Amino acid sequence: MSEIFKTTATASPETNPLIAEIVRQQTAGAELLDPPGAIRREWMAAVFQHGETYLSQMLAGPAYGPAKPPPATTDPFISETTGDLQKALAYLRENVDHQGVNIAAGGNFSYIPGGGVFHAALGDYLAAITNRYAGVHFGGPGAAQLETDLLDWLAAELGFPKSTAGDLTSGGSIANLSAIIAAREAANIRSANIAKSVVYLTRQTHHCISKALRIAGLAECPRRYVEIDEHYRMQPERLADLIAADRSAGLRPCLVVASAGTTDTGAIDPLSDIADISAAENLWFHIDGAYGAIFALSDLVRPKLKGLSRADSLVVDPHKGLFLPFGSGVVLVKDGQKLYQAFQERGDYMQDVVDLEGAISPSDFSPELSKHFRGLRMWLPLKLAGVAPFRAALTEKYLLAQYFHQKLSENDRFEVGPQPDLSLVIYRYLPRRGDSNDFNRKLFEAIKDDGRIFVSSTAINGTVYLRLAILSFRSHLPDVEMALAVIPQIAGHLEDS
Ligand SMILES: *Cc1c(COP(=O)(O)O)cnc(C)c1O
């Protein structure tokens, strides 16, 4: 092979028939990567039809589909030769599309439901077709600007000032990681002072914070789990006590992580009080609002999030409360310089990358360089639907949760958790006999097997609860009525059996 390439330098393919033939063969193969218009149209039609069929079946089908063993097939999983789109779609239909949680089904009330609005699929399609480079302004000025403008829009909605910078990430976990790293840099936590640099959180803080602390090299920071109240919210007086105790022990309080909507119960920590303490004590105040921060779009719910805009850093998950498909998180840092300082780097091979006037590139605020043009999947839904339907949907989910809480509270066979701060209710059945944890675990399984709705469970201080998290954009009153019918009915059957 190297002999052939040596020849290429001195002779054109025309003058070297061997090379000309080899190139022709390889080009014929490579050209299959660029299908012509007629094929593109045929494929688009087939993929669109697959999506339509999926949607109609999913809407009529169970909220949870059981795993099935892979069917016996002679088709190789991947081969060297051209494949057939219909066969590929059939594979998805059989093995992927209907197994596990139907995330965007109205009856999906598990974990924190994700979205999947149709508009976002079109955004993803356009992002993939154009593949504009959203990492640096120089490479894709329009793409980078669109993402910057989108972050500015979200920051303004959430009450953050113009100094804010952010990053469109793949999800909440990575967004939280970026915030923790920005906090580490801002608080100057180094190996020399790590054992003295204290982090405050609660037992209800999402586990991705613990993961982020480890990844960020902060596993050895002393961690204080602040006591929570009967609504599962951080107690600010206890936070203040812990900080005072740590200071008198010669430690260095650095970072407090509050939740705007915990995953277990949907509780909003008292953000204003925590902001006061953080300001007085000079702590970095991070809010994990992956689930709840977006409820600030709802006029009705916004007052409950008072103090949100006082955070130094905030995480929002558009693939939850903006109903986008998985792959969209956001981190915002109020002093944008701090995010820049945490992530800005340059390589020699980037010497042509000039900063456009006044514009800092998205990759300067991110651990990523080449990145998916994520902005399109968020911008297009907002553009096409307008913001009002998102506000309406969030207010609706909040009201549905209040309704579910009230109705289930009227059933004395159930113990129902606190009135929901957001759109999440915890509850458990109180069986007449036997262990209540065992019973509620069985109840979870039976609801899953029934399939009409899907809920998830949790254990808080050793007590098993079922959860109803209302955040699928397709969950409306009839779905909640269904849950109110199905859960007591299945519990009753289980108790009688
Ligand atoms: C979902 C969630 C996360 C994690 O976000 P991912 O997008 O799943 O990575 C973090 N915190 C809270 C409160 C969440 O609800």
PDB file of all heavy atoms in Angstrom, residues 111-112 169-176 204-209 211 259-264 288-292 315-320 326-329 467, ligand 1:
ATOM      1  N   TYR A 111     -40.250   7.818  38.464  1.00  0.00           N
ATOM      2  CA  TYR A 111     -39.029   8.629  38.586  1.00  0.00           C
ATOM      3  C   TYR A 111     -39.387  10.105  38.351  1.00  0.00           C
ATOM      4  O   TYR A 111     -40.311  10.613  38.948  1.00  0.00           O
ATOM      5  CB  TYR A 111     -37.955   8.100  37.625  1.00  0.00           C
ATOM      6  CG  TYR A 111     -37.779   6.607  37.804  1.00  0.00           C
ATOM      7  CD1 TYR A 111     -38.372   5.691  36.926  1.00  0.00           C
ATOM      8  CD2 TYR A 111     -37.114   6.116  38.925  1.00  0.00           C
ATOM      9  CE1 TYR A 111     -38.271   4.328  37.151  1.00  0.00           C
ATOM     10  CE2 TYR A 111     -37.012   4.750  39.152  1.00  0.00           C
ATOM     11  CZ  TYR A 111     -37.595   3.866  38.263  1.00  0.00           C
ATOM     12  OH  TYR A 111     -37.512   2.519  38.492  1.00  0.00           O
ATOM     13  N   ILE A 112     -38.608  10.791  37.476  1.00  0.00           N
ATOM     14  CA  ILE A 112     -39.072  12.084  36.980  1.00  0.00           C
ATOM     15  C   ILE A 112     -39.277  11.856  35.488  1.00  0.00           C
ATOM     16  O   ILE A 112     -38.302  11.710  34.750  1.00  0.00           O
ATOM     17  CB  ILE A 112     -38.032  13.209  37.206  1.00  0.00           C
ATOM     18  CG1 ILE A 112     -37.599  13.302  38.669  1.00  0.00           C
ATOM     19  CG2 ILE A 112     -38.579  14.544  36.701  1.00  0.00           C
ATOM     20  CD1 ILE A 112     -38.665  13.789  39.636  1.00  0.00           C
ATOM     21  N   THR A 169     -25.922  21.008  28.253  1.00  0.00           N
ATOM     22  CA  THR A 169     -25.244  19.733  28.488  1.00  0.00           C
ATOM     23  C   THR A 169     -26.128  18.590  28.025  1.00  0.00           C
ATOM     24  O   THR A 169     -27.218  18.808  27.513  1.00  0.00           O
ATOM     25  CB  THR A 169     -24.941  19.547  29.989  1.00  0.00           C
ATOM     26  OG1 THR A 169     -26.191  19.338  30.672  1.00  0.00           O
ATOM     27  CG2 THR A 169     -24.250  20.757  30.576  1.00  0.00           C
ATOM     28  N   SER A 170     -25.640  17.371  28.253  1.00  0.00           N
ATOM     29  CA  SER A 170     -26.408  16.194  27.850  1.00  0.00           C
ATOM     30  C   SER A 170     -27.490  15.858  28.874  1.00  0.00           C
ATOM     31  O   SER A 170     -28.375  15.061  28.591  1.00  0.00           O
ATOM     32  CB  SER A 170     -25.471  15.003  27.693  1.00  0.00           C
ATOM     33  OG  SER A 170     -24.746  14.819  28.894  1.00  0.00           O
ATOM     34  N   GLY A 171     -27.408  16.436  30.076  1.00  0.00           N
ATOM     35  CA  GLY A 171     -28.404  16.128  31.100  1.00  0.00           C
ATOM     36  C   GLY A 171     -28.043  16.778  32.418  1.00  0.00           C
ATOM     37  O   GLY A 171     -27.066  17.533  32.517  1.00  0.00           O
ATOM     38  N   GLY A 172     -28.851  16.466  33.430  1.00  0.00           N
ATOM     39  CA  GLY A 172     -28.684  17.092  34.735  1.00  0.00           C
ATOM     40  C   GLY A 172     -27.419  16.664  35.463  1.00  0.00           C
ATOM     41  O   GLY A 172     -26.799  17.463  36.161  1.00  0.00           O
ATOM     42  N   SER A 173     -27.034  15.407  35.307  1.00  0.00           N
ATOM     43  CA  SER A 173     -25.852  14.928  36.039  1.00  0.00           C
ATOM     44  C   SER A 173     -24.610  15.678  35.586  1.00  0.00           C
ATOM     45  O   SER A 173     -23.797  16.119  36.414  1.00  0.00           O
ATOM     46  CB  SER A 173     -25.653  13.427  35.810  1.00  0.00           C
ATOM     47  OG  SER A 173     -26.764  12.706  36.279  1.00  0.00           O
ATOM     48  N   ILE A 174     -24.456  15.828  34.271  1.00  0.00           N
ATOM     49  CA  ILE A 174     -23.277  16.517  33.744  1.00  0.00           C
ATOM     50  C   ILE A 174     -23.362  18.015  34.058  1.00  0.00           C
ATOM     51  O   ILE A 174     -22.349  18.661  34.347  1.00  0.00           O
ATOM     52  CB  ILE A 174     -23.152  16.269  32.222  1.00  0.00           C
ATOM     53  CG1 ILE A 174     -22.948  14.775  31.947  1.00  0.00           C
ATOM     54  CG2 ILE A 174     -22.007  17.073  31.620  1.00  0.00           C
ATOM     55  CD1 ILE A 174     -21.676  14.189  32.528  1.00  0.00           C
ATOM     56  N   ALA A 175     -24.567  18.561  34.021  1.00  0.00           N
ATOM     57  CA  ALA A 175     -24.732  19.978  34.361  1.00  0.00           C
ATOM     58  C   ALA A 175     -24.342  20.219  35.821  1.00  0.00           C
ATOM     59  O   ALA A 175     -23.650  21.195  36.147  1.00  0.00           O
ATOM     60  CB  ALA A 175     -26.175  20.416  34.107  1.00  0.00           C
ATOM     61  N   ASN A 176     -24.757  19.327  36.711  1.00  0.00           N
ATOM     62  CA  ASN A 176     -24.371  19.444  38.119  1.00  0.00           C
ATOM     63  C   ASN A 176     -22.858  19.311  38.282  1.00  0.00           C
ATOM     64  O   ASN A 176     -22.242  20.016  39.083  1.00  0.00           O
ATOM     65  CB  ASN A 176     -25.093  18.391  38.971  1.00  0.00           C
ATOM     66  CG  ASN A 176     -26.470  18.868  39.432  1.00  0.00           C
ATOM     67  OD1 ASN A 176     -26.590  19.883  40.116  1.00  0.00           O
ATOM     68  ND2 ASN A 176     -27.515  18.149  39.049  1.00  0.00           N
ATOM     69  N   GLN A 204     -31.597  13.991  50.999  1.00  0.00           N
ATOM     70  CA  GLN A 204     -32.505  13.980  49.853  1.00  0.00           C
ATOM     71  C   GLN A 204     -31.847  14.550  48.593  1.00  0.00           C
ATOM     72  O   GLN A 204     -32.454  14.552  47.521  1.00  0.00           O
ATOM     73  CB  GLN A 204     -33.773  14.785  50.185  1.00  0.00           C
ATOM     74  CG  GLN A 204     -34.680  14.092  51.189  1.00  0.00           C
ATOM     75  CD  GLN A 204     -35.321  12.836  50.624  1.00  0.00           C
ATOM     76  OE1 GLN A 204     -35.952  12.874  49.582  1.00  0.00           O
ATOM     77  NE2 GLN A 204     -35.131  11.711  51.295  1.00  0.00           N
ATOM     78  N   THR A 205     -30.623  15.001  48.700  1.00  0.00           N
ATOM     79  CA  THR A 205     -29.908  15.508  47.520  1.00  0.00           C
ATOM     80  C   THR A 205     -29.723  14.369  46.512  1.00  0.00           C
ATOM     81  O   THR A 205     -29.425  13.241  46.896  1.00  0.00           O
ATOM     82  CB  THR A 205     -28.518  16.057  47.947  1.00  0.00           C
ATOM     83  OG1 THR A 205     -28.713  16.985  49.006  1.00  0.00           O
ATOM     84  CG2 THR A 205     -27.829  16.752  46.787  1.00  0.00           C
ATOM     85  N   HIS A 206     -29.899  14.667  45.242  1.00  0.00           N
ATOM     86  CA  HIS A 206     -29.768  13.637  44.194  1.00  0.00           C
ATOM     87  C   HIS A 206     -28.366  13.018  44.212  1.00  0.00           C
ATOM     88  O   HIS A 206     -27.372  13.717  44.433  1.00  0.00           O
ATOM     89  CB  HIS A 206     -30.033  14.270  42.827  1.00  0.00           C
ATOM     90  CG  HIS A 206     -30.242  13.274  41.729  1.00  0.00           C
ATOM     91  ND1 HIS A 206     -29.200  12.668  41.054  1.00  0.00           N
ATOM     92  CD2 HIS A 206     -31.382  12.767  41.183  1.00  0.00           C
ATOM     93  CE1 HIS A 206     -29.690  11.841  40.133  1.00  0.00           C
ATOM     94  NE2 HIS A 206     -31.007  11.885  40.193  1.00  0.00           N
ATOM     95  N   HIS A 207     -28.281  11.722  43.936  1.00  0.00           N
ATOM     96  CA  HIS A 207     -26.992  11.025  44.047  1.00  0.00           C
ATOM     97  C   HIS A 207     -25.976  11.515  43.015  1.00  0.00           C
ATOM     98  O   HIS A 207     -24.779  11.255  43.146  1.00  0.00           O
ATOM     99  CB  HIS A 207     -27.182   9.510  43.954  1.00  0.00           C
ATOM    100  CG  HIS A 207     -27.510   9.013  42.585  1.00  0.00           C
ATOM    101  ND1 HIS A 207     -28.791   9.012  42.068  1.00  0.00           N
ATOM    102  CD2 HIS A 207     -26.726   8.518  41.602  1.00  0.00           C
ATOM    103  CE1 HIS A 207     -28.773   8.529  40.839  1.00  0.00           C
ATOM    104  NE2 HIS A 207     -27.537   8.226  40.528  1.00  0.00           N
ATOM    105  N   CYS A 208     -26.429  12.222  41.981  1.00  0.00           N
ATOM    106  CA  CYS A 208     -25.456  12.722  40.997  1.00  0.00           C
ATOM    107  C   CYS A 208     -24.542  13.784  41.609  1.00  0.00           C
ATOM    108  O   CYS A 208     -23.459  14.039  41.080  1.00  0.00           O
ATOM    109  CB  CYS A 208     -26.154  13.247  39.745  1.00  0.00           C
ATOM    110  SG  CYS A 208     -26.886  14.863  39.927  1.00  0.00           S
ATOM    111  N   ILE A 209     -24.965  14.394  42.723  1.00  0.00           N
ATOM    112  CA  ILE A 209     -24.084  15.364  43.389  1.00  0.00           C
ATOM    113  C   ILE A 209     -22.910  14.628  44.032  1.00  0.00           C
ATOM    114  O   ILE A 209     -21.750  15.053  43.930  1.00  0.00           O
ATOM    115  CB  ILE A 209     -24.872  16.184  44.453  1.00  0.00           C
ATOM    116  CG1 ILE A 209     -25.976  17.018  43.779  1.00  0.00           C
ATOM    117  CG2 ILE A 209     -23.931  17.074  45.262  1.00  0.00           C
ATOM    118  CD1 ILE A 209     -25.499  18.112  42.854  1.00  0.00           C
ATOM    119  N   LYS A 211     -21.784  11.792  43.041  1.00  0.00           N
ATOM    120  CA  LYS A 211     -20.972  11.350  41.908  1.00  0.00           C
ATOM    121  C   LYS A 211     -20.101  12.510  41.417  1.00  0.00           C
ATOM    122  O   LYS A 211     -18.907  12.347  41.165  1.00  0.00           O
ATOM    123  CB  LYS A 211     -21.935  10.922  40.785  1.00  0.00           C
ATOM    124  CG  LYS A 211     -21.424   9.837  39.886  1.00  0.00           C
ATOM    125  CD  LYS A 211     -22.340   9.738  38.665  1.00  0.00           C
ATOM    126  CE  LYS A 211     -23.178   8.492  38.658  1.00  0.00           C
ATOM    127  NZ  LYS A 211     -23.886   8.303  37.374  1.00  0.00           N
ATOM    128  N   SER A 259     -31.847  21.797  46.845  1.00  0.00           N
ATOM    129  CA  SER A 259     -32.634  21.197  45.765  1.00  0.00           C
ATOM    130  C   SER A 259     -33.893  22.021  45.539  1.00  0.00           C
ATOM    131  O   SER A 259     -34.588  22.378  46.488  1.00  0.00           O
ATOM    132  CB  SER A 259     -33.037  19.762  46.121  1.00  0.00           C
ATOM    133  OG  SER A 259     -31.899  18.978  46.408  1.00  0.00           O
ATOM    134  N   ALA A 260     -34.152  22.307  44.270  1.00  0.00           N
ATOM    135  CA  ALA A 260     -35.448  22.890  43.906  1.00  0.00           C
ATOM    136  C   ALA A 260     -36.236  21.760  43.257  1.00  0.00           C
ATOM    137  O   ALA A 260     -36.240  21.597  42.055  1.00  0.00           O
ATOM    138  CB  ALA A 260     -35.265  24.066  42.953  1.00  0.00           C
ATOM    139  N   GLY A 261     -36.835  20.956  44.135  1.00  0.00           N
ATOM    140  CA  GLY A 261     -37.520  19.751  43.677  1.00  0.00           C
ATOM    141  C   GLY A 261     -36.629  18.535  43.846  1.00  0.00           C
ATOM    142  O   GLY A 261     -35.820  18.235  42.972  1.00  0.00           O
ATOM    143  N   THR A 262     -36.752  17.866  44.990  1.00  0.00           N
ATOM    144  CA  THR A 262     -35.974  16.638  45.166  1.00  0.00           C
ATOM    145  C   THR A 262     -36.629  15.520  44.368  1.00  0.00           C
ATOM    146  O   THR A 262     -37.824  15.569  44.067  1.00  0.00           O
ATOM    147  CB  THR A 262     -35.912  16.213  46.647  1.00  0.00           C
ATOM    148  OG1 THR A 262     -37.262  16.020  47.116  1.00  0.00           O
ATOM    149  CG2 THR A 262     -35.220  17.263  47.498  1.00  0.00           C
ATOM    150  N   THR A 263     -35.820  14.514  44.049  1.00  0.00           N
ATOM    151  CA  THR A 263     -36.320  13.430  43.210  1.00  0.00           C
ATOM    152  C   THR A 263     -37.248  12.506  43.999  1.00  0.00           C
ATOM    153  O   THR A 263     -38.232  11.999  43.469  1.00  0.00           O
ATOM    154  CB  THR A 263     -35.134  12.653  42.628  1.00  0.00           C
ATOM    155  OG1 THR A 263     -34.283  13.603  41.993  1.00  0.00           O
ATOM    156  CG2 THR A 263     -35.582  11.636  41.609  1.00  0.00           C
ATOM    157  N   ASP A 264     -36.957  12.315  45.275  1.00  0.00           N
ATOM    158  CA  ASP A 264     -37.794  11.425  46.087  1.00  0.00           C
ATOM    159  C   ASP A 264     -39.201  11.983  46.281  1.00  0.00           C
ATOM    160  O   ASP A 264     -40.193  11.284  46.071  1.00  0.00           O
ATOM    161  CB  ASP A 264     -37.155  11.234  47.473  1.00  0.00           C
ATOM    162  CG  ASP A 264     -36.540   9.847  47.620  1.00  0.00           C
ATOM    163  OD1 ASP A 264     -36.743   9.007  46.725  1.00  0.00           O
ATOM    164  OD2 ASP A 264     -35.854   9.618  48.632  1.00  0.00           O
ATOM    165  N   ASP A 288     -29.663  22.439  42.737  1.00  0.00           N
ATOM    166  CA  ASP A 288     -30.005  21.415  41.764  1.00  0.00           C
ATOM    167  C   ASP A 288     -31.506  21.539  41.493  1.00  0.00           C
ATOM    168  O   ASP A 288     -32.332  21.068  42.277  1.00  0.00           O
ATOM    169  CB  ASP A 288     -29.654  20.018  42.306  1.00  0.00           C
ATOM    170  CG  ASP A 288     -30.062  18.913  41.321  1.00  0.00           C
ATOM    171  OD1 ASP A 288     -30.533  19.252  40.209  1.00  0.00           O
ATOM    172  OD2 ASP A 288     -29.921  17.724  41.678  1.00  0.00           O
ATOM    173  N   GLY A 289     -31.822  22.183  40.388  1.00  0.00           N
ATOM    174  CA  GLY A 289     -33.224  22.340  39.984  1.00  0.00           C
ATOM    175  C   GLY A 289     -33.533  21.507  38.762  1.00  0.00           C
ATOM    176  O   GLY A 289     -34.388  21.884  37.956  1.00  0.00           O
ATOM    177  N   ALA A 290     -32.830  20.370  38.630  1.00  0.00           N
ATOM    178  CA  ALA A 290     -32.999  19.543  37.427  1.00  0.00           C
ATOM    179  C   ALA A 290     -34.476  19.248  37.189  1.00  0.00           C
ATOM    180  O   ALA A 290     -34.971  19.337  36.067  1.00  0.00           O
ATOM    181  CB  ALA A 290     -32.202  18.247  37.557  1.00  0.00           C
ATOM    182  N   TYR A 291     -35.166  18.920  38.269  1.00  0.00           N
ATOM    183  CA  TYR A 291     -36.596  18.634  38.144  1.00  0.00           C
ATOM    184  C   TYR A 291     -37.431  19.911  38.248  1.00  0.00           C
ATOM    185  O   TYR A 291     -38.277  20.195  37.389  1.00  0.00           O
ATOM    186  CB  TYR A 291     -36.989  17.607  39.220  1.00  0.00           C
ATOM    187  CG  TYR A 291     -38.459  17.536  39.560  1.00  0.00           C
ATOM    188  CD1 TYR A 291     -39.442  17.554  38.566  1.00  0.00           C
ATOM    189  CD2 TYR A 291     -38.868  17.423  40.898  1.00  0.00           C
ATOM    190  CE1 TYR A 291     -40.795  17.482  38.900  1.00  0.00           C
ATOM    191  CE2 TYR A 291     -40.209  17.339  41.224  1.00  0.00           C
ATOM    192  CZ  TYR A 291     -41.164  17.385  40.227  1.00  0.00           C
ATOM    193  OH  TYR A 291     -42.496  17.310  40.559  1.00  0.00           O
ATOM    194  N   GLY A 292     -37.171  20.719  39.296  1.00  0.00           N
ATOM    195  CA  GLY A 292     -38.169  21.716  39.658  1.00  0.00           C
ATOM    196  C   GLY A 292     -37.979  23.135  39.160  1.00  0.00           C
ATOM    197  O   GLY A 292     -38.946  23.899  39.100  1.00  0.00           O
ATOM    198  N   VAL A 315     -28.957  24.271  38.088  1.00  0.00           N
ATOM    199  CA  VAL A 315     -29.117  23.256  37.040  1.00  0.00           C
ATOM    200  C   VAL A 315     -30.597  23.068  36.714  1.00  0.00           C
ATOM    201  O   VAL A 315     -31.437  23.052  37.615  1.00  0.00           O
ATOM    202  CB  VAL A 315     -28.489  21.918  37.485  1.00  0.00           C
ATOM    203  CG1 VAL A 315     -28.992  20.753  36.646  1.00  0.00           C
ATOM    204  CG2 VAL A 315     -26.976  22.007  37.393  1.00  0.00           C
ATOM    205  N   VAL A 316     -30.882  22.992  35.437  1.00  0.00           N
ATOM    206  CA  VAL A 316     -32.241  22.749  34.938  1.00  0.00           C
ATOM    207  C   VAL A 316     -32.137  21.596  33.933  1.00  0.00           C
ATOM    208  O   VAL A 316     -31.153  21.500  33.206  1.00  0.00           O
ATOM    209  CB  VAL A 316     -32.792  23.982  34.181  1.00  0.00           C
ATOM    210  CG1 VAL A 316     -34.267  23.811  33.870  1.00  0.00           C
ATOM    211  CG2 VAL A 316     -32.553  25.262  34.955  1.00  0.00           C
ATOM    212  N   ASP A 317     -33.154  20.756  33.892  1.00  0.00           N
ATOM    213  CA  ASP A 317     -33.153  19.638  32.940  1.00  0.00           C
ATOM    214  C   ASP A 317     -34.285  19.818  31.926  1.00  0.00           C
ATOM    215  O   ASP A 317     -35.409  19.376  32.180  1.00  0.00           O
ATOM    216  CB  ASP A 317     -33.366  18.311  33.693  1.00  0.00           C
ATOM    217  CG  ASP A 317     -32.195  17.365  33.558  1.00  0.00           C
ATOM    218  OD1 ASP A 317     -31.252  17.677  32.806  1.00  0.00           O
ATOM    219  OD2 ASP A 317     -32.220  16.301  34.203  1.00  0.00           O
ATOM    220  N   PRO A 318     -34.005  20.416  30.773  1.00  0.00           N
ATOM    221  CA  PRO A 318     -35.082  20.545  29.776  1.00  0.00           C
ATOM    222  C   PRO A 318     -35.633  19.198  29.306  1.00  0.00           C
ATOM    223  O   PRO A 318     -36.737  19.160  28.770  1.00  0.00           O
ATOM    224  CB  PRO A 318     -34.416  21.307  28.624  1.00  0.00           C
ATOM    225  CG  PRO A 318     -33.305  22.064  29.275  1.00  0.00           C
ATOM    226  CD  PRO A 318     -32.808  21.149  30.357  1.00  0.00           C
ATOM    227  N   HIS A 319     -34.888  18.116  29.496  1.00  0.00           N
ATOM    228  CA  HIS A 319     -35.470  16.820  29.104  1.00  0.00           C
ATOM    229  C   HIS A 319     -36.431  16.273  30.172  1.00  0.00           C
ATOM    230  O   HIS A 319     -36.954  15.191  30.035  1.00  0.00           O
ATOM    231  CB  HIS A 319     -34.416  15.789  28.655  1.00  0.00           C
ATOM    232  CG  HIS A 319     -33.438  15.326  29.686  1.00  0.00           C
ATOM    233  ND1 HIS A 319     -32.208  14.823  29.332  1.00  0.00           N
ATOM    234  CD2 HIS A 319     -33.489  15.249  31.026  1.00  0.00           C
ATOM    235  CE1 HIS A 319     -31.544  14.453  30.418  1.00  0.00           C
ATOM    236  NE2 HIS A 319     -32.303  14.700  31.462  1.00  0.00           N
ATOM    237  N   LYS A 320     -36.653  17.078  31.197  1.00  0.00           N
ATOM    238  CA  LYS A 320     -37.750  16.780  32.120  1.00  0.00           C
ATOM    239  C   LYS A 320     -38.857  17.811  31.864  1.00  0.00           C
ATOM    240  O   LYS A 320     -39.726  17.590  31.051  1.00  0.00           O
ATOM    241  CB  LYS A 320     -37.251  16.789  33.560  1.00  0.00           C
ATOM    242  CG  LYS A 320     -36.350  15.583  33.851  1.00  0.00           C
ATOM    243  CD  LYS A 320     -35.697  15.652  35.205  1.00  0.00           C
ATOM    244  CE  LYS A 320     -34.840  14.405  35.448  1.00  0.00           C
ATOM    245  NZ  LYS A 320     -33.917  14.611  36.563  1.00  0.00           N
ATOM    246  N   PHE A 326     -34.563  12.805  25.918  1.00  0.00           N
ATOM    247  CA  PHE A 326     -33.331  12.730  26.706  1.00  0.00           C
ATOM    248  C   PHE A 326     -32.161  13.341  25.939  1.00  0.00           C
ATOM    249  O   PHE A 326     -32.063  13.212  24.721  1.00  0.00           O
ATOM    250  CB  PHE A 326     -32.996  11.274  27.042  1.00  0.00           C
ATOM    251  CG  PHE A 326     -33.937  10.682  28.055  1.00  0.00           C
ATOM    252  CD1 PHE A 326     -34.464   9.419  27.851  1.00  0.00           C
ATOM    253  CD2 PHE A 326     -34.297  11.376  29.196  1.00  0.00           C
ATOM    254  CE1 PHE A 326     -35.337   8.859  28.775  1.00  0.00           C
ATOM    255  CE2 PHE A 326     -35.159  10.823  30.124  1.00  0.00           C
ATOM    256  CZ  PHE A 326     -35.681   9.561  29.904  1.00  0.00           C
ATOM    257  N   GLY A 327     -31.277  13.971  26.703  1.00  0.00           N
ATOM    258  CA  GLY A 327     -30.075  14.549  26.101  1.00  0.00           C
ATOM    259  C   GLY A 327     -29.995  16.050  26.243  1.00  0.00           C
ATOM    260  O   GLY A 327     -29.230  16.683  25.516  1.00  0.00           O
ATOM    261  N   SER A 328     -30.768  16.629  27.177  1.00  0.00           N
ATOM    262  CA  SER A 328     -30.738  18.084  27.354  1.00  0.00           C
ATOM    263  C   SER A 328     -30.729  18.505  28.813  1.00  0.00           C
ATOM    264  O   SER A 328     -31.727  18.359  29.519  1.00  0.00           O
ATOM    265  CB  SER A 328     -31.955  18.732  26.675  1.00  0.00           C
ATOM    266  OG  SER A 328     -31.736  18.841  25.291  1.00  0.00           O
ATOM    267  N   GLY A 329     -29.602  19.005  29.264  1.00  0.00           N
ATOM    268  CA  GLY A 329     -29.493  19.620  30.579  1.00  0.00           C
ATOM    269  C   GLY A 329     -28.935  21.024  30.414  1.00  0.00           C
ATOM    270  O   GLY A 329     -28.416  21.370  29.355  1.00  0.00           O
ATOM    271  N   ARG A 467     -44.433   6.457  44.492  1.00  0.00           N
ATOM    272  CA  ARG A 467     -44.388   7.860  44.081  1.00  0.00           C
ATOM    273  C   ARG A 467     -45.299   8.039  42.875  1.00  0.00           C
ATOM    274  O   ARG A 467     -45.487   7.116  42.091  1.00  0.00           O
ATOM    275  CB  ARG A 467     -42.959   8.261  43.683  1.00  0.00           C
ATOM    276  CG  ARG A 467     -41.912   8.057  44.755  1.00  0.00           C
ATOM    277  CD  ARG A 467     -40.502   8.067  44.183  1.00  0.00           C
ATOM    278  NE  ARG A 467     -40.120   9.335  43.578  1.00  0.00           N
ATOM    279  CZ  ARG A 467     -40.153   9.588  42.286  1.00  0.00           C
ATOM    280  NH1 ARG A 467     -40.550   8.655  41.440  1.00  0.00           N
ATOM    281  NH2 ARG A 467     -39.772  10.762  41.824  1.00  0.00           N
TER     282      ARG A 467
HETATM  283  C1  LIG B   1     -33.052  13.841  37.146  1.00  0.00           C
HETATM  284  C2  LIG B   1     -32.337  14.558  38.211  1.00  0.00           C
HETATM  285  C3  LIG B   1     -30.936  14.663  38.185  1.00  0.00           C
HETATM  286  C4  LIG B   1     -30.086  13.953  37.180  1.00  0.00           C
HETATM  287  O1  LIG B   1     -30.292  14.437  35.891  1.00  0.00           O
HETATM  288  P1  LIG B   1     -30.050  13.516  34.617  1.00  0.00           P
HETATM  289  O2  LIG B   1     -30.572  14.364  33.524  1.00  0.00           O
HETATM  290  O3  LIG B   1     -30.843  12.256  34.830  1.00  0.00           O
HETATM  291  O4  LIG B   1     -28.603  13.248  34.505  1.00  0.00           O
HETATM  292  C5  LIG B   1     -30.348  15.427  39.156  1.00  0.00           C
HETATM  293  N1  LIG B   1     -31.062  16.017  40.106  1.00  0.00           N
HETATM  294  C6  LIG B   1     -32.399  15.930  40.170  1.00  0.00           C
HETATM  295  C7  LIG B   1     -33.144  16.618  41.266  1.00  0.00           C
HETATM  296  C8  LIG B   1     -33.083  15.184  39.224  1.00  0.00           C
HETATM  297  O5  LIG B   1     -34.421  15.073  39.287  1.00  0.00           O
END
